Amino acid sequence: MDQKKLHQVEKQCIQEEAPACQSACPLHVDARTFVDQIKKEKFSDAWKTLTRSLPFPGILARICDHPCEKSCLREKLGGPISIGALERFCVNQPRPRIRTIPMPKKKFTMAVVGENLSSLVAALELLKKGYEVTLFTACARLGGTLWDLPDTLLPDKVMDQELATLYTLGLKVEKKTIDGDALADLLNEFSAVYLGLDTPETAPLVEEELPAERTFALKRKGLFAGGFNAPGQNLQSGNISTNVPPMTQAFQGRAAALSMERFTQKVSLTEGRENEGAYPTRLYTNLEDISPLPPIEPGDPGKGYTKDEARAEAERCIQCQCLECVKICPYLVHFKGYPKRYAREIYNNATIVLGDHAANLMINSCSLCGLCTEICPENFPMADLCLDARRDMVENKKMPPSAHAFALDDMAFSNSDSFILWEHAPDRAKSDFAFFPGCQLAGSNPDQVIQTYQFLLANQSHDTGLMLQCCAAPAHWAGNEPKTGEAVSLIERNWQDMGRPIMILACSSCMEMFKLYLPQIEVLSLWEVMDKVGQFDQTDMPGKGRSDSRRPVAIHDPCTTRNQPQIQAAARSIAAKLSIPVKELELSGKKTECCGFGGLMENANPDMAKKQLAQRVGESELDYLVYCAMCREQIRGAGKRTVHLLDFIFPPKTLTPAASAPDHFIPDPAGRPKTGLSQSRENREELKRNLLEHLWHRSEPKTHETVLHISPEVNAKLEKRRILHRDIRAAISHGESRGRKMQSVKNGRFLVAHRPSLVTFWVEYSPADTGYHIHNSYCHRMQVIERKGTGENS
Amino acid sequence: MITNLGIEENKEWKCLPCDCLLKLDRVRIDYMNGSFTVELPRCPSCGMVLVPEEIAVGKMLEVEKLLEDK
Amino acid sequence: MARPVTAQPLYKTPILQRLTGPVLRPGGLGLTRESAVKCGLEPGQRVLDVGCGYGAAVKMLAREFSLLAWGIDSDLDLLKLNPGKPAIQARAQTLPFRPNSFKALFCECVLSLTPDMGAALVEFERVIEPGGALLLCDIHVREKRYSDQLKDIPLACGFRQALDKREMQELVQGAGFGDLAWEDLSHLLTQLAGQAVFDHGSLAKFWAGVFGGECSSSLRTCETIRASRPGYFRIIAKKR
């Protein structure tokens, strides 16, 4: 990602855009922060906030005409925040001493004409920038019509205090009326001249109708003018110097001063000034949960707010933010930022907060589910950002191996001879269709793969083949383009060899991969097919009418169906046909949440996945209905009773009737525990063997596997550490065959180490009557460099 | 320099083929660009090394993450 | 402006000394050895180790390469422990040598400790003979924006003034050196960090040890340094 792309992407996140009040203020006073500070009774800070943006804060805070209030989002929720009144309250609080750092003196001299507010502001701004300023006025004193304001609003003492800053900064004042000739002299003598049109005597000096927009430049070079109010009028028509709102006067004076500076520096007058003055903000704030509240009125309008009243009014402020995505996604919350910052961090590849969150972990923890993009008013592409970053890391060999190793190993297993298979239907010579169940369904419920396949043979087409493989999703999510390419090519080859059938996909993640990488293959969702050809309303359909199918369930859409509403509809249609009462979660359909498996979140950051799941399962008391095997395992693993749609269509059976299941049906599929990593591998291997043997009548010799006796506690440890039963068998076999093992002198147990590839597995075990008892197992990636003998240097 | 990992002297595990208790000794462990010399229980005869569980899932894991984190 | 430092410099803390050994920096003597080989030094040539500390490198260069090796350090405590070695107490910015005195000058993990790095480099350039080499190793940072926070670390250590790659190269070139060759040796720093984790259990515990106990200073130091993504580099440059 280059700088340009970064800026484009950053721009899409509007969190840092100004709130409506600030953008509507011509001087961009940070009213949101100001009101918050009033609420917290941090009056000194509130003063500082005003001073940051307001020239002559003592004056302007009192007389401000608060255009911000018209834009306040509270307007439709009770009434805008009385920002003006809060400003007037603030100026009655003790004013902190604010140090200003004087700018180095500049060699240009500026002339300002007029004694009213816009001229004073122009002079102040130029003085603060270090210019020598001479102000020309016919009056005896500065301030003009400001002195006409009642003392209750703007006390003389305050005027003197504020105007004093001009003298402190070295303002020169000349008592002189400027006529046309004098103006010509000024333009010769000074680098630039400002005409304050709010001082009516200057009006005749202006030839044109209006100063230039944004720059306030007049036609004559070096001449600028401000302090006018001319909606629909022009300077020549007169009367536009009266009733100019104070904020307009101040804004124009400031803007003209900037133009004058740029003029003397001979740089562009317009560059970068698009957001000067009032503009509509891009910030979006969700007002759904805000209840209307009327504004607090001061008990004594003459005296203004008391401290309590001010605080109460300030508490009404919504504190406009966007953060729509952060509100909804535990991942975005977890890393304590929001997308614009994340984009910058990814670009800089730096740590986000001072702490132990590394950018690597942040990049690898996103589920890539796209919910934030869906919610964001500007569709911020967080998933694209993270995926691109992962690809960069892999390409530059900076991807930490432990992030995705297990998932990639699992994919390699699914694409090995242990699982991979493609066949035409038994006794058929071609495949018009092919069923692609995906590796996770096969690992989670191999029986249902067989039942679904037989269902398709019976209802879709006799020429439906079967393909067992991994769809490349793990490699894609890991940002590993070479491995993705390999897996995709494998599918393509097998598909060609099968005669290019239409693929029926059970898994929506597989669907995403096919659409992305194999657009030449026509694909159908299993759910759409089943909805179309399944005869669910037949009374002898197994599962129909069972008592447990009448309990309401909340349906969870896999995140990869976010933009596939037809698949979501098909699943619901099937459920309806089976008379399953389905409730919708709030975040469902287009707004569905990820189960934590997506993007390999579970692999790279199990703690993050736990948080993600906690949020999801907390959203309803009901059991969840899913139609993706990964969602099934993840959500069930988080402790929520979860039933897969196939559990209703093909209720699981025992081989022999039992007291609890006289009709063979295992009661309560929603209670079936999470399958587990080792079992998933075994299921896949067994599935291939079963299919070959029973459908295609080809037996493969089955290796007799050592029996392992593992307690549930130890098994839980293995799951957490991602140690498979096959890893344990391999380690024991390695140790036993070589005799290289350790023994405990306390209890006679054996301890063996085995490093088949990049991980060393340790297993503590003891022999049983059949097989072994497994007492403990752990692993590490660091490699021990063994040396023989004693005391030698390695 | 050798690091003491804070493990107590091993009194439980013996090397089966050599039939002797493993004793703390200098051992080299490598991962990615890092190479460290630490004290781990080791068979004085054949050199078989024991990595105790608390080291494997503790300090070792920490260092692995450090080295991966660039 | 750096905050006044109350504790002793990092290189003097026993915890660090146990970690690095007598050279008090990443890379050990192996690094110095490698540098000497890289610039093709020959027996009898005069070399200077700026910030020689205990004099381990000076000793090695004399012994293994038959060089006339000198050392200077501003820290008398370190020099005192190795009397009789050709080492003098002096500051890097004012080297007590005539111009063009040395064939090579080693400055290993020391520049970032000097109060005026630019002035020190100018001094180096003065005392190295034309065509001679500067072997500069030090810490750099890959994330610039924590510079202010780094300066606030209440402990004298190389991290506080660490520059990024570009600034470092410009500084060296600015002192009059040419033919700069930059090598990234960050794995040496990572190695040290890994060792620290093995010793103490975590980096936070290491820094707690340095500060005499876990405190806000130790935590902040640990986090700021980590956030700045420090690396280690070697520049070999020639005096024109």
Side-chain angles (χ1 to χ4, degrees):
Chain A
M1 178 167 57
D2 56 21
Q3 271 268 353
K4 195 154 164 245
K5 179 102 197 293
L6 171 69
H7 290 317
Q8 265 174 349
V9 168
E10 273 185 312
K11 214 157 164 254
Q12 276 180 279
C13 176
I14 53 177
Q15 172 58 18
E16 288 178 7
E17 296 296 309
C21 47
Q22 187 171 12
S23 62
C25 172
L27 296 177
H28 298 164
V29 172
D30 186 354
R32 176 178 62 185
T33 305
F34 169 72
V35 172
D36 189 52
Q37 288 161 336
I38 297 288
K39 178 174 89 174
K40 295 184 172 133
E41 301 196 6
K42 293 196 170 138
F43 302 127
S44 184
D45 291 339
W47 253 119
K48 287 186 185 151
T49 303
L50 291 181
T51 311
R52 218 167 279 137
S53 317
L54 290 178
F56 307 116
I59 298 178
L60 274 177
R62 285 179 164 82
I63 66 172
C64 164
D65 52 287
H66 46 80
C68 51
E69 288 185 18
K70 281 192 217 57
S71 304
C72 174
L73 295 192
R74 263 269 178 219
E75 173 153 53
K76 303 205 178 68
L77 287 165
I81 306 296
S82 314
I83 302 174
L86 289 174
E87 284 178 279
R88 286 189 287 278
F89 164 78
C90 180
V91 299
N92 287 326
Q93 307 309 310
R95 183 173 175 173
R97 281 193 53 182
I98 295 166
R99 244 178 347 130
T100 43
I101 304 160
M103 285 280 279
K105 289 270 168 263
K106 300 209 169 69
K107 58 179 187 242
F108 298 100
T109 53
M110 305 287 196
V112 171
V113 181
E115 69 275 1
N116 278 287
L117 185 56
S118 81
S119 304
L120 300 179
V121 171
L124 181 69
E125 296 291 310
L126 291 168
L127 286 166
K128 287 206 286 201
K129 288 181 208 275
Y131 294 98
E132 256 184 56
V133 181
T134 309
L135 189 143
F136 296 90
T137 170
C139 274
R141 63 177 178 176
L142 302 178
T145 52
L146 289 174
W147 293 106
D148 299 339
L149 293 168
D151 213 56
T152 46
L153 178 59
L154 182 55
D156 286 359
K157 195 173 59 163
V158 172
M159 281 289 290
D160 288 330
Q161 199 181 13
E162 293 289 338
L163 294 180
T165 50
L166 289 169
Y167 298 111
T168 320
L169 289 169
L171 177 71
K172 295 198 187 73
V173 179
E174 267 195 46
K175 188 153 184 286
K176 185 173 174 183
T177 313
I178 302 294
D179 60 12
D181 292 330
L183 181 58
D185 289 338
L186 288 185
L187 283 169
N188 276 330
E189 210 184 301
F190 290 89
S191 312
V193 180
Y194 175 79
L195 298 178
L197 298 171
D198 42 355
T199 303
E201 294 74 30
T202 59
L205 297 171
V206 178
E207 299 156 348
E208 51 261 75
E209 294 193 354
L210 284 174
E213 254 190 74
R214 202 173 288 292
T215 62
F216 299 98
L218 297 178
K219 284 210 198 76
R220 262 187 285 181
K221 285 194 79 134
L223 188 57
F224 299 83
F228 63 94
N229 193 15
Q233 294 181 308
N234 60 57
L235 296 173
Q236 305 307 316
S237 64
N239 279 342
I240 48 94
S241 60
T242 52
N243 295 326
V244 185
M247 290 306 263
T248 307
Q249 288 173 293
F251 162 64
Q252 292 181 355
R254 171 178 281 176
L258 178 59
S259 297
M260 288 161 79
E261 172 170 49
R262 289 196 180 187
F263 175 76
T264 59
Q265 288 172 340
K266 296 191 174 30
V267 298
S268 161
L269 292 186
T270 48
E271 176 86 29
R273 295 178 81 170
E274 302 78 30
N275 283 346
E276 235 178 63
Y279 69 94
T281 182
R282 284 170 60 221
L283 181 67
Y284 165 81
T285 303
N286 190 329
L287 298 173
E288 251 175 51
D289 294 328
I290 316 275
S291 27
L293 291 170
I296 306 289
E297 299 293 337
D300 183 343
K303 287 226 178 88
Y305 281 139
T306 61
K307 204 187 273 190
D308 289 331
E309 289 165 345
R311 197 193 50 242
E313 177 64 359
E315 275 169 0
R316 271 197 332 128
C317 175
I318 296 170
Q319 290 293 304
C320 294
Q321 305 248 45
C322 178
L323 293 179
E324 286 296 288
C325 57
V326 177
K327 287 182 205 165
I328 225 167
C329 173
Y331 158 71
L332 292 173
V333 172
H334 181 76
F335 288 93
K336 298 193 172 65
Y338 44 85
K340 185 171 188 174
R341 274 178 63 181
Y342 292 143
R344 221 174 289 145
E345 303 298 349
I346 292 176
Y347 176 78
N348 292 327
N349 207 2
T351 41
I352 307 268
V353 292
L354 296 188
D356 60 359
H357 294 305
N360 287 347
L361 191 59
M362 195 273 284
I363 290 168
N364 284 333
S365 300
C366 175
S367 70
L368 309 180
C369 78
L371 175 58
C372 56
T373 308
E374 181 61 39
I375 298 275
C376 173
E378 306 262 338
N379 300 121
F380 189 91
M382 191 68 192
D384 291 346
L385 212 58
C386 288
L387 190 56
D388 279 341
R390 290 180 204 182
R391 288 179 174 151
D392 282 343
M393 281 164 74
V394 172
E395 201 180 303
N396 295 319
K397 302 207 192 324
K398 295 219 189 272
M399 177 62 82
S402 57
H404 304 129
F406 187 82
L408 292 172
D409 282 346
D410 203 70
M411 180 175 93
F413 171 80
S414 298
N415 285 347
S416 74
D417 282 335
S418 302
F419 182 65
I420 214 170
L421 169 155
W422 73 256
E423 296 285 341
H424 298 306
D427 305 320
R428 310 295 295 187
K430 65 176 170 72
S431 294
D432 294 328
F433 298 90
F435 178 39
F436 190 103
C439 53
Q440 296 303 309
L441 179 60
S444 168
N445 203 322
D447 289 341
Q448 284 176 352
V449 172
I450 302 180
Q451 289 165 311
T452 306
Y453 181 49
Q454 289 170 326
F455 170 95
L456 289 172
L457 283 173
N459 294 289
Q460 170 74 355
S461 160
H462 295 304
D463 287 323
T464 305
L466 179 66
M467 189 187 288
L468 298 181
Q469 249 193 241
C470 178
C471 67
H476 167 81
W477 286 332
N480 193 321
E481 289 171 291
K483 286 203 152 93
T484 308
E486 276 168 32
V488 164
S489 301
L490 194 57
I491 300 177
E492 226 262 342
R493 234 176 12 248
N494 289 340
W495 172 70
Q496 292 278 3
D497 289 347
M498 265 183 106
R500 305 153 68 96
I502 298 172
M503 304 292 285
I504 302 177
L505 308 177
C507 171
S508 51
S509 297
C510 296
M511 174 76 79
E512 193 178 77
M513 293 302 116
F514 272 76
K515 289 206 152 121
L516 203 55
Y517 294 109
L518 296 153
Q520 67 274 34
I521 301 186
E522 200 181 323
V523 292
L524 292 172
S525 160
L526 173 67
W527 311 111
E528 289 184 279
V529 168
M530 280 186 129
D531 188 36
K532 196 161 102 179
V533 307
Q535 289 136 31
F536 298 109
D537 43 354
Q538 295 199 347
T539 43
D540 60 353
M541 179 76 204
K544 170 112 174 123
R546 281 180 51 193
S547 59
D548 65 339
S549 75
R550 281 200 288 273
R551 260 212 318 265
V553 285
I555 189 164
H556 163 88
D557 298 302
C559 60
T560 36
T561 59
R562 185 180 309 290
N563 296 314
Q564 311 285 339
Q566 71 285 4
I567 301 182
Q568 296 174 341
R572 284 159 175 76
S573 170
I574 295 173
K577 289 177 182 170
L578 288 169
S579 304
I580 305 169
V582 163
K583 294 268 180 273
E584 294 288 341
L585 293 167
E586 199 186 314
L587 290 172
S588 87
K590 223 166 163 48
K591 291 208 203 138
T592 187
E593 290 178 281
C594 178
C595 65
F597 196 97
L600 298 182
M601 183 199 269
E602 171 69 49
N603 267 260
N605 195 340
D607 289 335
M608 189 65 246
K610 234 169 142 177
K611 278 190 180 177
Q612 177 79 15
L613 278 164
Q615 173 163 308
R616 190 49 161 175
V617 308
E619 288 167 11
S620 169
E621 301 277 290
L622 301 174
D623 296 353
Y624 282 14
L625 171 65
V626 300
Y627 47 104
C628 162
M630 289 180 281
C631 296
R632 195 256 157 208
E633 295 301 336
Q634 285 290 106
I635 296 179
R636 183 71 194 104
K640 163 72 76 181
R641 289 166 47 82
T642 311
V643 63
H644 193 291
L645 196 53
L646 291 176
D647 291 334
F648 282 119
I649 302 173
F650 308 120
K653 285 185 169 186
T654 57
L655 292 174
T656 51
S660 58
D663 54 353
H664 296 246
F665 294 120
I666 300 175
D668 199 25
R672 178 168 77 88
K674 177 173 176 165
T675 302
L677 302 166
S678 297
Q679 188 66 49
S680 173
R681 293 269 183 113
E682 284 167 27
N683 284 347
R684 277 175 262 171
E685 218 164 6
E686 262 312 294
L687 175 64
K688 175 173 177 177
R689 173 185 306 287
N690 271 335
L691 286 166
L692 286 179
E693 187 161 331
H694 296 121
L695 291 186
W696 283 280
H697 311 296
R698 298 209 304 261
S699 330
E700 311 247 316
K702 180 171 176 162
T703 43
H704 175 73
E705 294 216 307
T706 334
V707 176
L708 300 179
H709 303 275
I710 310 179
S711 73
E713 295 78 35
V714 175
N715 218 14
K717 239 185 180 179
L718 300 183
E719 280 289 312
K720 186 147 177 262
R721 293 173 174 176
R722 299 217 184 89
I723 298 175
L724 302 171
H725 295 177
R726 63 193 51 222
D727 298 323
I728 293 187
R729 288 195 181 95
I732 294 178
S733 163
H734 177 85
E736 291 288 316
S737 62
R738 311 234 184 135
R740 272 205 116 210
K741 48 187 181 172
M742 302 172 201
Q743 186 170 37
S744 166
V745 302
K746 284 187 191 158
N747 50 35
R749 292 178 179 177
F750 298 117
L751 182 59
V752 72
H754 179 47
R755 190 180 179 90
S757 171
L758 297 171
V759 176
T760 305
F761 295 94
W762 290 83
V763 182
E764 192 183 317
Y765 66 99
S766 51
D769 292 331
T770 55
Y772 300 96
H773 294 292
I774 308 300
H775 305 292
N776 195 10
S777 178
Y778 52 94
C779 60
H780 53 81
R781 296 186 155 260
M782 274 201 142
Q783 184 172 18
V784 173
I785 311 294
E786 287 193 355
R787 65 183 203 280
K788 295 273 178 281
T790 54
E792 284 168 28
N793 280 327
S794 53
Chain B
M1 61 146 310
I2 312 173
T3 304
N4 179 327
L5 294 172
I7 334 175
E8 283 168 13
E9 185 59 71
N10 166 55
K11 294 199 181 77
E12 181 174 1
W13 296 101
K14 67 172 185 188
C15 171
L16 200 51
C18 305
D19 196 30
C20 51
L21 266 181
L22 306 179
K23 279 178 33 153
L24 284 178
D25 196 354
R26 52 183 302 188
V27 173
R28 194 179 116 198
I29 46 178
D30 291 358
Y31 187 55
M32 295 176 78
N33 268 333
S35 182
F36 307 91
T37 310
V38 297
E39 279 198 325
L40 285 171
R42 176 180 174 271
C43 174
S45 174
C46 68
M48 187 156 64
V49 173
L50 164 64
V51 177
E53 182 181 18
E54 72 261 23
I55 298 295
V57 306
K59 289 181 174 179
M60 228 184 211
L61 184 61
E62 277 305 306
V63 178
E64 286 171 14
K65 289 205 283 218
L66 188 80
L67 292 168
E68 288 182 352
D69 197 20
K70 66 164 165 69
Chain C
M1 215 51 261
R3 259 206 237 139
V5 166
T6 48
Q8 57 188 348
L10 180 63
Y11 67 79
K12 271 182 134 154
T13 60
I15 289 217
L16 183 97
Q17 298 206 345
R18 273 208 297 276
L19 192 62
T20 60
V23 287
L24 304 177
R25 55 164 175 72
L29 275 180
L31 189 62
T32 317
R33 202 174 278 125
E34 196 185 66
S35 299
V37 168
K38 272 183 185 272
C39 63
L41 294 168
E42 286 167 17
Q45 289 177 329
R46 283 222 293 270
V47 301
L48 175 65
D49 184 16
V50 173
C52 62
Y54 294 122
V58 172
K59 204 161 78 170
M60 184 274 291
L61 289 168
R63 197 184 56 228
E64 293 183 24
F65 292 82
S66 306
L67 298 164
L68 290 172
W70 292 76
I72 64 115
D73 203 297
S74 63
D75 195 331
L76 198 55
D77 291 336
L78 301 182
L79 292 172
K80 274 198 300 206
L81 292 172
N82 260 308
K85 294 286 168 295
I88 308 170
Q89 186 189 24
R91 291 188 133 64
Q93 309 93 284
T94 41
L95 294 174
F97 301 106
R98 280 199 287 274
N100 309 321
S101 299
F102 297 100
K103 190 75 182 146
L105 189 151
F106 294 78
C107 182
E108 298 178 310
C109 213
V110 163
L111 192 65
S112 53
L113 288 169
T114 58
D116 190 336
M117 298 196 273
L121 281 167
V122 165
E123 263 300 87
F124 297 170
E125 201 266 355
R126 180 180 71 76
V127 305
I128 298 177
E129 43 180 80
L134 167 69
L135 292 316
L136 179 68
C137 298
D138 217 320
I139 301 202
H140 69 288
V141 290
R142 286 173 286 196
E143 189 43 63
K144 256 319 280 185
R145 64 207 145 104
Y146 297 105
S147 305
D148 288 336
Q149 281 124 308
L150 283 173
K151 287 195 177 65
D152 277 348
I153 292 178
L155 175 73
C157 59
F159 297 100
R160 282 169 83 207
Q161 289 196 98
L163 303 175
D164 67 15
K165 177 175 173 177
R166 193 182 48 86
E167 288 170 326
M168 200 64 236
Q169 287 174 318
E170 280 172 8
L171 204 64
V172 172
Q173 279 165 336
F177 291 97
D179 283 346
L180 256 76
W182 170 285
E183 277 170 271
D184 187 293
L185 300 174
S186 300
H187 59 276
L188 295 176
L189 200 59
T190 316
Q191 169 80 22
L192 219 56
Q195 199 74 52
V197 173
F198 274 128
D199 284 345
H200 301 275
S202 71
L203 286 180
K205 292 206 180 94
F206 166 77
W207 287 109
V210 167
F211 279 90
E214 189 177 277
C215 55
S216 62
S217 292
S218 76
L219 290 170
R220 213 182 33 223
T221 301
C222 179
E223 289 175 359
T224 311
I225 290 178
R226 191 187 293 212
S228 68
R229 294 184 59 234
Y232 203 67
F233 70 87
R234 168 168 52 206
I235 287 179
I236 303 182
K238 290 262 181 317
K239 168 166 171 170
R240 282 188 250 261

